[in-house]
Amino acid sequence: MSNEAIHVPTMADFAARGETPEILFWVGCAGSFDDRAKKITKAIVRILSHVGIKFAVLGVEESCSGDPAKRAGNEFLFQMQAMNNITVLNNYSIKKIVTGCPHCFNTLKNEYPELGGQYEVVHHTQLVQELIDTGKLRVKGGAFLGKKITFHDPCYLGRANDEYEAPRSVIQNLDVELAEMKRSKQNGLCCGAGGAQMFKEAEKGDKEVNVERTAEALELKPDIIATGCPFCMTMMTDGVKHFNKEEKTKVIDVAELIAAAIDL
Amino acid sequence: MEYIINIIFIVLLISGLLLFTKNVVQIRRNILLGKPVNRTDNQTQRWKTMFRVAMGQSKMVTRPLPGILHLFVYIGFVVINIEVIEIIIDGVCGTHRVFSVLGSLYTFLIATFEILAALVFLGCVIFFTRRNVVKIKRFLSNDLNGWPRSDANYILVAEIALMAAFLFMNAADFRLQQVHFSHYDLGLSSSAFPISSLLASLYGDASIPFLVMAERSTWWFHILGILVFMNYLPYSKHFHVILAFPNVFYSNLKVKGEFTNLAVVTNEVKAMLDPTFVPPVVEGLTRFGAKDVQDLSWKQLMDAYSCTECGRCTSACPANITGKKLSPRKIMMDTRDRLEEVGSNMTKNGGKFIDDGKSLFGDYISGEEIWACTSCNACVQECPVNIDPLSIIIDLRRFQVMEQSAAPTELNMMMTNMENNGAPWQFAQSDRLNWVNEN
């Protein structure tokens, strides 16, 4: 992927010019701070810039969506986060949001409306699919022609929001062999990070959830395990390392696949 | 004296129905101990879901073998119960096969019942084998130790016995008809008895009095068996045959990722952020999240009574698969057990619950269980009757975090970070855009 400087306008920049962007890119905490996830963030920015959508980020005005607090049972902290975010979003009259993380996506889309934040929220795989379907983004196999890819469903995109097709349909544009794991779509197995597990050690058991899941993915001997979530990314990457397969199998976000395929 | 037998029948029938009603009323009272939640909106969607998931068994057949066998037992249960209407009329009036006046329709009905009875018999024998001989993880689980495992076997044995009695009753009847004996001679075609005509040879060259006795005793066994079985339901996981339908009807229609926003918290947070906001006065003590069954909603309590302990939820749970203590099935079983305990406490104390120093969290469900959940919704997805174990886990977590400050240490650190710097990690909010200029 190119290392060319990217241009990332903020909402404050737009507001200063008296303009509004078409869409807000909600980067999320992982996308802002996690080294691996930052690459996904940049891939999303490159795609948005490439198609010429007027987009902006909140930058330093963004704060955690509150998802991990809510799943951990801290409704106070969640609602504090949510209402503060809603104030910022509403001040900028945000209409449409794309997220780089299914957890932010789920929370903003489903749990903010009742608290006063009503936006059209899409996950980045849904936006990419829409861009491809409307002809704004043309994707060819290129770098990935003939590769074997399996998609790991993030729970908060799949079961939580019934979106199984967008990421798959995007991947299929790459002229690759899309292989399904035994447990996929509605029956997909969690990577082990959800419900705030990302931030704690697992309880006592026989093995880690990510090891169980990665083993299942590696049974297919894929070239690539595709994901759509920064937490799944961490868990699956660690899982592949656990089996010493990082030479053979890469873990790549759907946005990165697309950005690489169109040589951004 | 000739009506004595009919009187005995009527007394037994009415006692059976009264006892059953009493137990159902008690279960209803227990369910209504739960907190209010609105599940009567969107009726059209609710009926559709009920027809698809409960009546249509759409989530059962995702596992084809048990799904199809269960379909036999389910259809058998519903259809063969039409026969019970005739049995009751015959029992009350002293008639024999009162519906036989329907002629060829009756022949068709009895033949259908027989085929279904044979399928139910087969299904239950295979289910019994799956539970006791084949090593299937979800049936071997410690969740089922003791009563639950026996309960499952009693149900299967009872159903096998009831179906056998029904078929052997028809077989004896068939033989008596063939010899044109007394009122048994209704001139029914042998095609009414596709299965029992095959079984009839097992009676060998039994005498007519023996055949009459066999027919009468299997008839009584069948109807008394049904009355006893019906009264067993309220004590058993088998109560799902009734609650599956309302439970699906009242199930959550929203996407699974959407968790409830606690309204009491919303008011407090609004008051914190906006000093002019006056929160509405809430009557009585409010508790954040759930410690005991009374803190859950009536729907969560109905879920507990609707659970038939099949364990599909647990077999799909990532925590359980990897050897953690959490089992969503156990969450539901514990909720029901505790609710039953609270219920009998109330019954004993004239309708009032006297604190017994116990609670759902702590005495039944442990922290180790609820903190192992990844909130992935696999259990909710799996449940054939739309039970939501995840919502109970989250309510228990809410109580632990907001009332007890008892979250695992690492989660407390995560939440402190979020409060201080708006991210679950210790990165400053002012650094949120640094990624733009990094390589």
Side-chain angles (χ1 to χ4, degrees):
Chain A
M1 204 177 291
S2 89
N3 280 326
E4 272 171 51
I6 47 172
H7 177 59
V8 185
T10 62
M11 283 305 304
D13 297 339
F14 270 92
R17 294 197 304 268
E19 291 174 33
T20 43
E22 286 167 62
I23 193 163
L24 169 76
F25 173 27
W26 182 276
V27 180
C29 303
S32 304
F33 295 122
D34 179 273
D35 285 337
R36 180 66 187 84
K38 285 182 215 170
K39 295 186 174 143
I40 306 170
T41 306
K42 289 188 180 176
I44 297 172
V45 165
R46 289 198 164 92
I47 295 169
L48 293 172
S49 308
H50 173 75
V51 296
I53 297 184
K54 274 212 293 187
F55 76 98
V57 300
L58 282 171
V60 297
E61 289 183 279
E62 188 185 281
S63 185
C64 178
S65 70
D67 163 82
K70 190 171 183 80
R71 313 300 141 189
N74 195 336
E75 192 67 11
F76 272 104
L77 181 52
F78 163 70
Q79 292 200 16
M80 287 291 286
Q81 288 298 121
M83 286 194 208
N84 283 323
N85 285 328
I86 289 166
T87 307
V88 174
L89 293 166
N90 288 355
N91 279 344
Y92 284 122
S93 307
I94 302 289
K95 298 279 179 297
K96 186 172 180 179
I97 302 175
V98 60
T99 72
C101 167
H103 294 264
C104 302
F105 162 68
N106 176 69
T107 307
L108 266 63
K109 179 174 190 286
N110 299 317
E111 290 160 355
Y112 277 29
E114 202 180 56
L115 303 172
Q118 317 230 346
Y119 321 104
E120 183 194 348
V121 187
V122 293
H123 182 252
H124 67 271
T125 58
Q126 294 174 319
L127 182 70
V128 172
Q129 187 202 14
E130 187 192 312
L131 292 172
I132 293 172
D133 289 351
T134 53
K136 290 180 185 143
L137 185 62
R138 283 174 215 285
V139 180
K140 280 199 197 111
F144 301 106
L145 187 71
K147 297 259 192 231
K148 190 178 201 177
I149 300 188
T150 187
F151 180 70
H152 162 79
D153 289 282
C155 302
Y156 276 84
L157 183 64
R159 267 191 300 270
N161 285 290
D162 302 313
E163 181 58 89
Y164 305 103
E165 290 315 315
R168 287 179 171 78
S169 126
V170 170
I171 292 169
Q172 265 153 352
N173 282 286
L174 299 172
D175 302 322
V176 294
E177 180 196 345
L178 182 60
E180 291 292 346
M181 287 182 251
K182 262 192 282 194
R183 290 173 283 199
S184 79
K185 300 186 182 173
Q186 282 90 344
N187 302 319
L189 184 74
C190 176
C191 71
Q197 297 296 337
M198 182 70 195
F199 307 100
K200 61 183 267 296
E201 288 299 316
E203 275 61 30
K204 195 161 64 64
D206 309 328
K207 61 166 117 160
E208 295 290 339
V209 177
N210 68 328
V211 169
E212 168 87 13
R213 183 52 164 172
T214 315
E216 186 175 4
L218 291 175
E219 268 175 38
L220 299 168
K221 302 199 184 331
D223 299 297
I224 293 163
I225 299 172
T227 67
C229 170
F231 300 112
C232 298
M233 170 60 72
T234 304
M235 298 310 257
M236 301 307 282
T237 307
D238 288 351
V240 171
K241 279 187 197 142
H242 173 89
F243 292 105
N244 295 314
K245 295 281 183 207
E246 58 265 52
E247 290 303 314
K248 171 78 183 71
T249 301
K250 307 282 179 218
V251 187
I252 306 179
D253 191 275
V254 173
E256 296 177 298
L257 290 174
I258 296 302
I262 53 180
D263 205 19
L264 293 176
Chain B
M1 286 300 282
E2 63 176 304
Y3 295 117
I4 187 93
I5 200 82
N6 307 46
I7 292 166
I8 292 174
F9 179 86
I10 292 167
V11 169
L12 288 171
L13 179 70
I14 291 175
S15 324
L17 288 171
L18 282 178
L19 186 61
F20 178 69
T21 310
K22 180 181 159 274
N23 280 320
V24 170
V25 168
Q26 201 149 313
I27 288 179
R28 183 171 181 275
R29 178 204 66 185
N30 291 353
I31 289 173
L32 293 177
L33 291 176
K35 298 257 174 290
V37 56
N38 179 17
R39 290 288 172 81
T40 49
D41 57 329
N42 217 336
Q43 294 275 326
T44 323
Q45 193 56 36
R46 293 192 178 280
W47 283 108
K48 275 188 193 160
T49 311
M50 205 272 279
F51 280 113
R52 193 181 66 246
V53 177
M55 300 194 77
Q57 308 263 297
S58 63
K59 288 170 91 178
M60 278 304 293
V61 292
T62 54
R63 302 193 189 190
L65 177 68
I68 288 166
L69 292 174
H70 184 271
L71 199 62
F72 291 161
V73 180
Y74 160 68
I75 296 174
F77 169 79
V78 173
V79 174
I80 298 170
N81 274 335
I82 301 172
E83 167 83 3
V84 178
I85 302 170
E86 185 186 42
I87 292 182
I88 291 172
I89 298 174
D90 284 348
V92 172
C93 308
T95 46
H96 182 67
R97 293 190 182 268
V98 67
F99 290 164
S100 60
V101 293
L102 297 171
S104 59
L105 175 64
Y106 188 72
T107 305
F108 171 76
L109 280 175
I110 296 295
T112 310
F113 297 161
E114 285 215 346
I115 290 165
L116 284 171
L119 288 173
V120 173
F121 184 91
L122 178 75
C124 290
V125 168
I126 297 174
F127 281 153
F128 190 85
T129 314
R130 280 168 60 85
R131 279 189 180 259
N132 297 285
V133 184
V134 187
K135 304 276 181 251
I136 295 172
K137 200 182 162 207
R138 65 188 162 112
F139 298 134
L140 291 175
S141 155
N142 290 340
D143 292 357
L144 298 181
N145 288 351
W147 163 251
R149 188 165 280 121
S150 311
D151 183 22
N153 284 332
Y154 296 157
I155 294 159
L156 291 172
V157 169
E159 286 179 359
I160 290 167
L162 284 173
M163 291 306 113
F166 176 71
L167 290 170
F168 276 98
M169 174 183 83
N170 280 1
D173 199 317
F174 176 70
R175 285 285 292 270
L176 289 163
Q177 278 196 59
Q178 280 186 318
V179 296
H180 307 292
F181 178 71
S182 175
H183 61 279
Y184 286 97
D185 189 16
L186 293 167
L188 291 171
S189 137
S190 66
S191 55
F193 304 102
I195 309 290
S196 60
S197 58
L198 304 173
L199 295 174
S201 62
L202 293 173
Y203 283 117
D205 42 2
S207 63
I208 284 178
F210 180 85
L211 289 171
V212 172
M213 192 200 68
E215 194 277 336
R216 280 294 86 193
S217 52
T218 45
W219 185 91
W220 278 97
F221 180 86
H222 187 72
I223 185 65
L224 290 180
I226 286 172
L227 286 177
V228 170
F229 195 57
M230 182 173 77
N231 276 291
Y232 178 72
L233 294 184
Y235 301 97
S236 162
K237 78 190 191 77
H238 212 52
F239 201 59
H240 83 285
V241 297
I242 294 168
L243 276 188
F245 304 94
N247 201 60
V248 171
F249 182 84
Y250 293 123
S251 59
N252 179 23
L253 297 178
K254 294 178 177 162
V255 292
K256 296 185 194 68
E258 179 178 343
F259 289 10
T260 53
N261 290 317
L262 285 187
V264 267
V265 174
T266 311
N267 288 331
E268 292 208 19
V269 172
K270 274 186 184 161
M272 270 192 275
L273 297 175
D274 173 10
T276 62
F277 177 81
V278 182
V281 181
V282 185
E283 299 258 338
L285 277 176
T286 49
R287 187 177 261 180
F288 299 118
K291 181 189 184 200
D292 209 347
V293 285
Q294 298 96 321
D295 305 323
L296 297 170
S297 75
W298 64 266
K299 182 56 179 58
Q300 290 170 314
L301 300 182
M302 183 186 264
D303 276 357
Y305 273 113
S306 306
C307 174
T308 195
E309 301 165 14
C310 70
R312 291 177 180 219
C313 50
T314 295
S315 73
C317 171
N320 194 276
I321 288 169
T322 55
K324 277 84 173 177
K325 213 177 147 197
L326 173 64
S327 160
R329 167 171 61 184
K330 181 179 166 293
I331 300 286
M332 301 319 300
M333 293 168 71
D334 286 341
T335 305
R336 177 172 178 170
D337 288 348
R338 173 59 185 159
L339 183 55
E340 290 275 292
E341 188 176 50
V342 169
S344 40
N345 177 316
M346 289 177 64
T347 308
K348 256 185 248 148
N349 297 303
K352 217 175 146 292
F353 176 67
I354 307 287
D355 189 8
D356 58 359
K358 291 163 96 180
S359 59
L360 179 63
F361 185 87
D363 294 291
Y364 288 82
I365 300 172
S366 64
E368 185 181 340
E369 290 163 77
I370 62 165
W371 291 114
C373 174
T374 68
S375 73
C376 75
N377 265 308
C379 54
V380 184
Q381 176 72 43
E382 277 289 327
C383 182
V385 296
N386 284 2
I387 291 170
D388 184 353
L390 174 57
S391 69
I392 297 183
I393 294 172
I394 294 299
D395 281 339
L396 294 173
R397 281 185 177 185
R398 284 172 172 171
F399 181 81
Q400 287 308 300
V401 172
M402 290 189 284
E403 299 254 8
Q404 308 287 87
S405 304
T409 320
E410 304 124 296
L411 289 188
N412 278 331
M413 280 158 53
M414 175 273 284
M415 292 187 281
T416 307
N417 290 332
M418 198 187 293
E419 277 172 50
N420 293 342
N421 48 271
W425 302 287
Q426 241 178 348
F427 292 108
Q429 190 165 359
S430 53
D431 291 341
R432 257 189 122 90
L433 208 50
N434 291 5
W435 56 270
V436 175
N437 300 314
E438 293 168 9
N439 276 321

